[in-house]
Amino acid sequence: MLSNQGQNVSDRFVCKQGSCTIVEANSSHIPLIAPFIRKEEQIEVDCMGGTIQEALLKGLKQDDCTLTVKDKYDVPYAMFGVGQLGNQAYIWMLSTDAVRDNMYDFVRYSRKWIQILTKPYKTTFNFVHQDNKLSIRWLKFCGAKFIRKIDINSHPFLEFIIISDNV
């Protein structure tokens, strides 16, 4: 069911930035995102083990905060989150090719979202496949520092950290 602003009434609204709407992620977003995941990100998930659906569901269950990005038509095209494993905080995102169609507003506001999410942890980390050029450019824009190259299941990955501006 949609409200008069085009938002799914069952979604908990977080913010609207240009053509991007951020809502609290929920399991109803998974079947709308998973089949359309970007090829480069499918490779990353394959290397880590499991399916896209499992990765998104794991985020929902394990994260301290998981959010979904929707386009102006209320269609989810990315899910991202943060959490903590032991004494290390992680940050992640999986997106569909629709991220390219929404690139201007998505990129424009990403740094702000990333800083808000990383603030409680000071520093977050994760890995990106070396061939995922779009994500690497975006991560650099968001302030990521690439600290080392590692192999995961015989694929080249780059480990990165994002340090909150408020440290």
Side-chain angles (χ1 to χ4, degrees):
M1 180 162 65
L2 298 180
S3 72
N4 59 358
Q5 285 87 27
Q7 300 302 309
N8 188 320
V9 176
S10 65
D11 287 338
R12 294 189 63 192
F13 178 80
V14 174
C15 68
K16 182 161 180 61
Q17 309 264 271
S19 65
C20 300
T21 301
I22 309 296
V23 298
E24 289 182 15
N26 66 61
S27 59
S28 73
H29 302 151
I30 293 174
L32 301 172
I33 295 172
F36 307 104
I37 215 73
R38 292 178 53 243
K39 180 185 82 169
E40 298 88 347
E41 294 179 11
Q42 177 68 60
I43 292 168
E44 290 176 357
V45 171
D46 289 346
C47 289
M48 301 291 181
T51 66
I52 295 294
Q53 293 86 347
E54 291 167 339
L56 294 170
L57 190 57
K58 182 178 180 181
L60 280 174
K61 290 181 178 181
Q62 185 172 296
D63 294 349
D64 295 327
C65 177
T66 312
L67 301 171
T68 295
V69 185
K70 294 180 160 192
D71 66 16
K72 63 184 176 184
Y73 303 108
D74 202 39
V75 177
Y77 65 89
M79 190 179 287
F80 61 105
V82 293
Q84 197 152 347
L85 290 171
N87 63 353
Q88 291 189 304
Y90 61 85
I91 190 163
W92 67 274
M93 183 180 80
L94 292 172
S95 63
T96 71
D97 284 317
V99 76
R100 294 178 193 278
D101 300 332
N102 296 278
M103 189 65 76
Y104 177 78
D105 285 333
F106 178 80
V107 170
R108 183 174 176 203
Y109 297 106
S110 292
R111 193 178 319 200
K112 176 182 173 182
W113 301 332
I114 297 303
Q115 286 301 311
I116 289 168
L117 288 174
T118 58
K119 184 177 179 180
Y121 307 99
K122 311 292 188 251
T123 302
T124 55
F125 86 101
N126 211 327
F127 307 93
V128 62
H129 196 283
Q130 181 176 291
D131 296 336
N132 193 342
K133 302 301 183 195
L134 181 67
S135 289
I136 291 170
R137 279 194 317 270
W138 175 73
L139 285 164
K140 285 179 181 177
F141 174 79
C142 290
K145 306 289 184 237
F146 295 89
I147 57 176
R148 67 181 172 140
K149 183 177 173 181
I150 64 168
D151 280 350
I152 299 176
N153 288 324
S154 301
H155 283 261
F157 278 76
L158 301 172
E159 183 176 7
F160 66 89
I161 59 170
I162 298 176
I163 300 171
S164 174
D165 285 342
N166 299 319
V167 174

